[in-house]
Amino acid sequence: MDTLDLLVHPVRLRIVHAMSGGRVRTTSDLCGAMPDVPKTTVYRHVGLLAEAGVLEVAGEQRVHGAVERRYRLQRARAVIDRETAASMTLDDHRRTFAAAMATLLAEFNTYLDQGHADPTADSVGYIQVPLWLSQDELAELIDEIRTALVAKRDNRATPDRRPYLASPILFPLVEPGRGRQAEDLQRDHEHA
């Protein structure tokens, strides 16, 4: 299974999220983190991720006569690289976006279903802001977002840290230079 097919699945994406921060977890731990997913499904997807090298066995122990494995995420194997992204078809992008949105919805519902969820206190945010940007401004914004996220990406799980899911989504609402609105704005700008 190629990286794209492997990672573009809501349950596998959730497993990758749950393993972030350098955490070492058992499949049983993952089942507890995803109570809405059947245990057999979690076990099957952990097996696929381990077989592909996205998860590595960090240790084993006997529990009630069975071997329980503890897994660690191999983050470098859990990304869709630029080359793969550049080769994606429009249908691949549609499928990837749908999986990302399904994952986001499942993660948010799992958060809300906790007895102690408090979106205000937890600084939950999900605003959408249309931005008018030149290509240079867009590149600058992407660089700023990337820099901010990368600066925190390697944070390890510690008692004073809580995992947050950041899911920046950026796409054009109107293709630049096309559509009546863009033409009218360009004309107004030139006559100003």
Side-chain angles (χ1 to χ4, degrees):
M1 183 179 303
D2 69 13
T3 303
L4 185 63
D5 286 335
L6 181 70
L7 294 177
V8 178
H9 188 282
V11 173
R12 291 191 289 268
L13 285 173
R14 290 179 70 191
I15 291 169
V16 168
H17 295 165
M19 297 298 296
S20 69
R23 291 183 280 187
V24 174
R25 296 181 129 185
T26 66
T27 306
S28 205
D29 295 334
L30 292 168
C31 289
M34 297 182 284
D36 56 311
V37 180
K39 289 181 181 183
T40 55
T41 301
V42 174
Y43 275 85
R44 184 174 66 250
H45 290 291
V46 165
L48 288 170
L49 291 167
E51 184 180 306
V54 173
L55 297 180
E56 74 171 356
V57 176
E60 296 179 341
Q61 65 184 23
R62 283 230 175 258
V63 177
H64 305 293
V67 175
E68 182 178 62
R69 291 184 177 95
R70 291 182 318 280
Y71 294 96
R72 172 183 309 124
L73 180 66
Q74 293 300 303
R75 195 177 69 210
R77 304 214 35 157
V79 296
I80 296 171
D81 61 26
R82 285 183 183 267
E83 184 177 312
T84 301
S87 71
M88 290 170 58
T89 66
L90 294 181
D91 283 338
D92 289 337
H93 282 283
R94 191 179 324 276
R95 188 169 54 97
T96 302
F97 189 81
M101 292 302 96
T103 302
L104 194 59
L105 185 59
E107 295 277 20
F108 192 65
N109 283 330
T110 299
Y111 161 73
L112 291 177
D113 288 343
Q114 298 177 81
H116 61 279
D118 186 345
T120 303
D122 292 334
S123 300
V124 170
Y126 41 83
I127 63 169
Q128 295 180 345
V129 181
L131 303 171
W132 289 84
L133 303 168
S134 69
Q135 282 303 115
D136 289 343
E137 291 167 329
L138 175 61
E140 181 182 7
L141 177 65
I142 290 170
D143 186 53
E144 290 169 356
I145 293 169
R146 183 178 293 126
T147 299
L149 292 175
V150 168
K152 304 294 185 216
R153 182 183 63 192
D154 292 329
N155 285 359
R156 301 298 236 170
T158 62
D160 66 325
R161 287 187 175 137
R162 180 175 184 185
Y164 282 81
L165 182 60
S167 188
I169 299 167
L170 185 66
F171 60 90
L173 295 174
V174 177
E175 191 172 324
R178 300 232 176 146
R180 188 85 186 128
Q181 194 175 27
E183 291 171 6
D184 289 346
L185 282 170
Q186 180 64 31
R187 189 175 41 253
D188 290 348
H189 178 72
E190 289 171 356
H191 291 26

